[in-house]
Amino acid sequence: MRFTSAGLRSWLRSHPLFGDSLLAVVLTAGTLVVITLIGAEEVARLQGATGVEIRPPDALNMILAVLCTLPVALRRSRPFVLLTLTTLPECTLNSLGYNTGLSEIAGLILLYTVAAHRGLALSLAGLAVTVIGYAVGAGLSPLTLSWPEHAVIIVVILLCWVSGRTVRLRRAYLAELVQRADRLERAREADTRAARAEERSRIARELHDVVAHHVSVMTVQAAAARKVLDSRPAVARDALTAIEEMGRTAMAEMRNIVGVLRTDGPAERAPQPGMGDLRTLVEQMREAGLRIRLLVEGEEGTLPPGIDLAAYRLVQEALTNSLRHAGPAAGAWVTVRHGPDELTVHVEDDGRGAAADPERPGGTGHGLVGIRERVALYGGVLRIGPRSGGGFEVHAQFPLKQHSPLRQHGPLKGGPLKETA
C-alpha cells in the first residue's frame, strides 16, 4: 500500500492517540539514550570543570525522566493536569543534580498543548506552572546559569505558549468561518425554497384565474346552446363557435404560463394582460350573457406591471363569479378610479348574493384567496362580501405612491365620469 506524506498527516490527525504515543516513545527513548551516554567518566570530567557536584545516572534518574516524558502520550485528554504532575519529577531531577535528558522538551510540549486546546484562563495557569516550576528547579539545582541563559529559557517558554494560543485562535477563526458558511448556505437554501414556493403560488394563481374564467364562460355558453339547440340552431351554432374560440384562448394563455417552467429552451411568453385589456374582458363576459357596465374615472396612465396584472385578475375573477352565481337576470358594474396615489377597483352585481346561493364563495374560494394574496402583495386593501341592497361586491384599493417612478400619468381630471355602457 502506497502512503504519501499528506496521507500520513491526515491519518495521524484522525488518530491523535497513536501520534501522541509515538511522540512519547521517541522522547522517552531519546531521554534514556542521552542519560546513558553520559557515564561516570563524563560526570567526573564535568565535576572537575565546574566544581559542582553532579550525580551519575542511575535507576532513579531514569525513572524520574520517564515520568516526565511518557505523559505526553495522553497530552490531549488532560494537558493541564499532566503539565502540573510532570513539574514535580522535573524539579526533583534538577534539585538532585541529575541529567534531565529531553524531559524539558516534554514539558514544553505539554505547555503548548494547554495553550492550544484550552481556554485563556487555563492556558495562563499552565504558563504560570511552567515558569514557577522552572524557577524552583533552577533555584534547587547545583548548576548555576547566567541571567542571559535564564532569559533565553524564559523566551522559549513564552514562544511555546504564544504558538499554542495562535493555533487555538486560528482554529477558532476557521471554525467560525465554517459556521458562517453553513449559516449562509442554510439561508440561501431557505431563500431558494421561499422563492420556489412564491413562484409556485404565483403560477397556481395564474392558472386558476385563466382556467376558472374561461371554463366558467364556456360552461354558461354550453348551457345556453343546449337549451336553444332544437328551437334556435343558429344561436346554438354561434354559442358553440364562441366556446371553441374561448377554449383556444384559454389554451394559449395556459401555454404562456406553463412556458415559464420550461428548462430545455427559452420560454415563449406573451405579454401579460392588464387594465388596458379590461374592455376586451367585458366584451367576452357580455357575449357569455352577463350584462355589464364599465365605468372608468380619472386619467388612465401606465400602471406598475404587478398592480396592472393584479387589478385585471381581480376584475376577471369577480366577473367570473358573477356569471356563475349571480343568476341569469343579474347585472354587474365595474368601476375603476385612477387616482394620483391609488388605484380603486370596484366590481358589484345585483344577483342572488352569497346567502341565496350556497355555492357562491363568501371569500374562501381559491379564486378569492388568490385575489387576497395579490392585493396584499402590493399593500392594498380588499373588501369582499354581500352588497347592501342585494348582490355581491369586491372592492380593492392599490396604493401607487411607493410605485410612483413606474406610474406615468397626469393629474386627475375633474371632468365628467367616463362610462362605457
Side-chain angles (χ1 to χ4, degrees), residues 192-341:
T192 301
R193 288 193 299 269
R196 289 176 178 173
E198 182 179 356
E199 184 66 11
R200 286 195 298 267
S201 177
R202 184 187 68 82
I203 293 173
R205 287 195 302 266
E206 291 296 319
L207 285 174
H208 175 273
D209 293 341
V210 171
V211 173
H213 167 69
H214 290 89
V215 171
S216 296
V217 174
M218 292 165 64
T219 301
V220 172
Q221 291 180 334
R226 179 177 54 82
K227 292 179 180 180
V228 300
L229 183 60
D230 296 330
S231 60
R232 303 171 64 185
V235 176
R237 188 182 305 109
D238 293 339
L240 292 175
T241 302
I243 292 174
E244 181 182 1
E245 293 178 355
M246 187 65 66
R248 290 175 179 173
T249 302
M251 290 299 298
E253 291 194 28
M254 288 181 63
R255 289 193 191 99
N256 292 333
I257 296 173
V258 177
V260 180
L261 303 178
R262 294 180 55 188
T263 57
D264 56 348
E268 299 176 2
R269 300 183 62 184
Q272 291 281 10
M275 296 300 286
D277 302 305
L278 198 56
R279 289 173 175 82
T280 302
L281 174 64
V282 169
E283 290 300 325
Q284 290 178 354
M285 302 303 292
R286 283 174 179 162
E287 292 177 0
L290 182 64
R291 296 184 295 108
I292 306 175
R293 174 176 290 183
L294 174 62
L295 306 174
V296 180
E297 181 182 6
E299 183 68 19
E300 297 183 50
T302 301
L303 295 170
I307 294 180
D308 197 22
L309 175 61
Y312 176 87
R313 294 301 187 196
L314 183 146
V315 176
Q316 183 184 57
E317 180 65 25
L319 291 179
T320 301
N321 286 334
S322 296
L323 178 66
R324 295 171 57 188
H325 304 288
W333 294 266
V334 178
T335 304
V336 179
R337 293 187 179 91
H338 295 271
D341 296 328

Side-chain angles (χ1 to χ4, degrees), residues 137-162:
L140 297 177
S141 175
L143 296 176
T144 303
L145 299 179
S146 62
W147 284 109
E149 292 174 330
H150 287 300
V152 169
I153 295 175
I154 295 297
V155 168
V156 171
I157 293 175
L158 291 176
L159 285 177
C160 290
W161 184 84
V162 170

Side-chain angles (χ1 to χ4, degrees), residues 7 23 55 61 84 104 113 128 160 165 205 219 258 267 278 293:
L23 178 61
R55 301 184 64 169
N61 187 182
T84 304
E104 293 91 346
T113 305
C160 290
R165 292 302 303 171
R205 287 195 302 266
T219 301
V258 177
L278 198 56
R293 174 176 290 183

Side-chain angles (χ1 to χ4, degrees), residues 54-78:
I54 300 178
R55 301 184 64 169
D58 53 20
L60 180 60
N61 187 182
M62 294 184 181
I63 292 174
L64 292 175
V66 168
L67 290 177
C68 293
T69 56
L70 278 183
V72 173
L74 303 176
R75 67 186 184 95
R76 297 179 191 270
S77 58
R78 296 289 187 272

